Amino acid sequence: MALPLTSFCFTAGVSCYSHNSVKFTHSTVKASSSSSLISLPRLNVRIKAFSGDGVPETKESPLVVCFGEMLIDFVPTISGLSLAESPAFKKAPGGAPANVAVGIARLGGSSAFIGKVGEDEFGYMLADILKENNVNSDGMRFDPGARTALAFVTLRSDGEREFMFYRNPSADMLLQEAELDLDLIRKAKIFHYGSISLITEPCKSAHIAAAKAAKDAGVVLSYDPNLRLPLWASADKAREGILSIWETADIIKISEEEIAFLTQGEDPYDDAVVHKLFHQNLKLLLVTEGPGGCRYYTKDFSGRVKGLKVDAVDTTGAGDAFKEDQLRSALRFANACGALTVMERGAIPALPTREAVLSTIQTPAS
């Protein structure tokens, strides 16, 4: 099957851009194959060359700070079974913002993660995962009174997933504004986040304060709504929460399912519908289509980049003013990252290196 866009082109693909001014309760949620990662432009980066494989060579990497949840996914060792039927599960680190941070680092970029885990064995494990992958973890906090978030993931035979979460509450929900590393945020070129951190206090206030600090410092704001409907009190609350910060973002990555949700059932493949979500200050809107690849929209142009065809095992983690040819090359690189990611179980364990991606790209961008 063809694979979705991810955000792994932070380091390689996106550096071709310049920007002038960027309980646990028991809940089950279906996740699309375009889930967790996005592709973002790079700020103030000097370009050494633009290679024939569509990946620019750069002299420096911007710091991308990712804010939100990091958790443990338990993935069935056999696809196509329900959670109750699955005989065993593979433990895999994940969480959409953390996936982005590790994906960037594995491609040779510079990233940091800000969030909270439990002061428990899983929390320590996740901290070690960040360090092992050269992700700055200075903004990571440990809560002595709450557990690290967990999610059990059902894998259908086609590699698609359903999540069952447990949080009551989990540590990531308890991050406080006073615990934020604001200096780290202000050093970023890009500040990336989702919507799950907006669901409950005190994390909601911490999220808003972090984004404001980034915006005030001239940092690019990157938003992946990453809808997980059962975690919200209602569909209306989810829609309201996701849209509450919509117009502050410089770049937004969204799936076709999320477009239908936010527009209350309108056709996500209709450009006129997509344009309703394009606000005045938005620089780039990316629409992921799972097997179909992705669409891109700017104020000046729009288009589509096809996905790559592979045999998907697990789609967890596949995903997070420009020149259009450079944008298409970056998105092609991102699609290759997604293709490699879904060929293994788990999110973070499956994230590819830059070398692996380059060896996958063999044909010109479509």
Side-chain angles (χ1 to χ4, degrees):
M1 65 182 288
L3 269 298
L5 169 74
T6 71
S7 70
F8 304 127
C9 60
F10 270 112
T11 312
V14 298
S15 57
C16 60
Y17 311 131
S18 63
H19 178 40
N20 294 330
S21 38
V22 182
K23 341 188 223 134
F24 261 164
T25 54
H26 179 149
S27 303
T28 302
V29 52
K30 292 183 178 179
S32 74
S33 60
S34 54
S35 62
S36 57
L37 301 176
I38 67 168
S39 173
L40 299 175
R42 171 175 186 162
L43 293 178
N44 303 323
V45 178
R46 296 170 292 171
I47 304 304
K48 179 179 179 181
F50 199 81
S51 61
D53 56 26
V55 180
E57 299 174 14
T58 61
K59 293 184 179 179
E60 59 186 67
S61 293
L63 175 63
V64 181
V65 174
C66 302
F67 175 93
E69 69 277 6
M70 189 173 190
L71 49 82
I72 303 291
D73 289 324
F74 286 89
V75 185
T77 56
I78 300 176
S79 299
L81 299 177
S82 68
L83 290 177
E85 295 169 330
S86 298
F89 296 84
K90 175 185 176 181
K91 177 181 61 181
N99 293 344
V100 174
V102 175
I104 293 165
R106 286 205 181 160
L107 292 172
S110 177
S111 65
F113 174 76
I114 292 179
K116 201 171 194 181
V117 294
E119 196 172 279
D120 52 37
E121 287 301 311
F122 284 146
Y124 297 137
M125 182 192 109
L126 293 176
D128 288 340
I129 291 291
L130 293 180
K131 293 177 182 178
E132 291 167 6
N133 285 279
N134 298 314
V135 176
N136 183 319
S137 60
D138 290 347
M140 195 173 197
R141 301 291 179 259
F142 295 84
D143 195 299
R147 297 297 189 186
T148 299
L150 304 178
F152 286 82
V153 186
T154 299
L155 296 177
R156 301 200 311 251
S157 57
D158 62 358
E160 291 301 315
R161 308 144 299 151
E162 289 185 355
F163 290 106
M164 179 180 288
F165 294 98
Y166 291 85
R167 61 181 195 172
N168 191 28
S170 55
D172 60 290
M173 301 166 66
L174 302 178
L175 181 68
Q176 300 181 43
E177 181 178 348
E179 296 176 300
L180 293 174
D181 188 335
L182 295 177
D183 289 337
L184 180 62
I185 293 171
R186 295 183 183 113
K187 292 176 183 176
K189 294 295 184 181
I190 298 170
F191 182 68
H192 174 65
Y193 49 87
S195 68
I196 291 177
S197 49
L198 294 171
I199 296 175
T200 58
E201 294 288 0
C203 189
K204 178 180 178 180
S205 292
H207 176 129
I208 293 171
K212 184 179 185 303
K215 193 75 170 181
D216 290 347
V219 178
V220 172
L221 298 188
S222 159
Y223 186 24
D224 172 10
N226 194 33
L227 176 64
R228 297 291 181 262
L229 190 55
L231 296 182
W232 294 83
S234 67
D236 288 341
K237 288 291 185 182
R239 192 175 294 107
E240 178 185 350
I242 289 172
L243 293 176
S244 68
I245 59 171
W246 194 262
E247 296 194 0
T248 64
D250 297 296
I251 299 127
I252 296 174
K253 173 265 168 190
I254 190 170
S255 70
E256 69 267 46
E257 294 92 344
E258 290 164 343
I259 292 175
F261 174 75
L262 293 177
T263 60
Q264 301 192 62
E266 294 191 54
D267 183 1
Y269 299 99
D270 184 340
D271 284 349
V273 172
V274 176
H275 280 296
K276 292 179 181 180
L277 297 173
F278 200 101
H279 63 77
Q280 182 177 2
N281 298 317
L282 193 61
K283 307 301 186 298
L284 175 64
L285 177 64
L286 294 170
V287 180
T288 56
E289 297 182 349
C294 65
R295 283 173 282 160
Y296 56 87
Y297 299 83
T298 74
K299 292 180 180 178
D300 301 318
F301 55 79
S302 62
R304 178 188 299 274
V305 177
K306 293 180 180 179
L308 302 182
K309 292 183 178 180
V310 300
D311 293 327
V313 174
D314 178 9
T315 57
T316 308
D320 336 318
F322 312 116
K323 286 188 177 181
E324 186 170 7
D325 59 342
Q326 294 177 338
L327 175 60
R328 291 181 63 84
S329 294
L331 296 180
R332 181 168 173 264
F333 184 93
N335 282 333
C337 292
L340 292 172
T341 301
V342 302
M343 294 175 72
E344 297 184 30
R345 296 183 188 277
I348 287 177
L351 299 179
T353 63
R354 187 173 187 271
E355 292 72 23
V357 176
L358 292 179
S359 67
T360 301
I361 302 175
Q362 299 177 350
T363 58
S366 59

